[in-house]
Amino acid sequence: MADYTIIADVSEKLIELLQHEFVPEFISGKDGIALCSPADKSDVTLGLFLFDIRESEEIRRSSAVINGMNKMQYPPIFLNLYYMVTAYTAGDVRFRMSSEERILGRVIQYFHDYPLISIDDIDPADINGVDLRIEMLRLDMEQKSKIWNFPNIPYKTSVFYKVSPVSIDSARKKEIIRVRQAQINIGESNIK
């Protein structure tokens, strides 16, 4: 069952997958790939920025979950996580854009080839969970500019993804009493 830490767990899993794929071929060390805002990227070469979290419109669970013999748990909430992936390279300005485009191209290729994250890899205890889907977003330039709202930082070409469905279980539980005995009385009716 997914706890409130699942958002951070998903972000860390994405970083882990990218580190496994990019280090050392494209990026020299694991520290070069991190969660960061473009306004605070430090020495990052590939930054993953969680820019929005929304309740899923596709999945809603309205019924409670029976949890053991005497407990009922309120339904989980399902979320969509929205990420921006941006490449930052140093060096000669003549080659910087080309290098960043290669990195972004490899990100696109990787998430296209491997669009699922097994929930078992994030939370092995989540026996009822659904694998997470990584989906590229189709945003126009105006939408991208609104997301990239960092004063004095020029826009860099980025790719945008949605990861869903991410579930967070409710912490509310209710004690229930199960029916253990039933008494049925059948009487004779006065039929004339």
Side-chain angles (χ1 to χ4, degrees), residues 74-168:
Y74 286 81
I77 184 170
F78 291 91
L79 305 172
N80 298 329
L81 306 182
Y82 296 89
Y83 291 93
M84 177 173 63
V85 182
T86 310
Y88 308 93
T89 56
D92 193 328
V93 71
R94 294 176 295 167
F95 306 109
R96 193 177 308 152
M97 283 279 231
S98 178
S99 177
E100 290 171 356
E101 290 168 2
R102 282 187 181 88
I103 292 170
L104 290 178
R106 183 65 187 119
V107 168
I108 293 166
Q109 183 182 47
Y110 179 74
F111 285 145
H112 174 75
D113 289 344
Y114 303 99
L116 295 176
I117 301 173
S118 171
I119 195 64
D120 294 338
D121 292 342
I122 298 172
D123 185 4
D126 191 354
I127 57 172
N128 297 318
V130 177
D131 289 344
L132 306 180
R133 180 154 185 78
I134 304 168
E135 178 183 346
M136 188 176 204
L137 297 175
R138 295 179 179 159
L139 304 177
D140 60 34
M141 197 58 205
E142 184 179 339
Q143 291 170 310
K144 292 177 183 180
S145 296
K146 286 179 182 177
I147 295 166
W148 188 286
N149 191 11
F150 306 102
N152 303 322
I153 300 174
Y155 176 78
K156 291 185 74 63
T157 301
S158 302
V159 289
F160 299 82
Y161 287 93
K162 174 175 89 169
V163 177
S164 66
V166 176
S167 69
I168 297 179

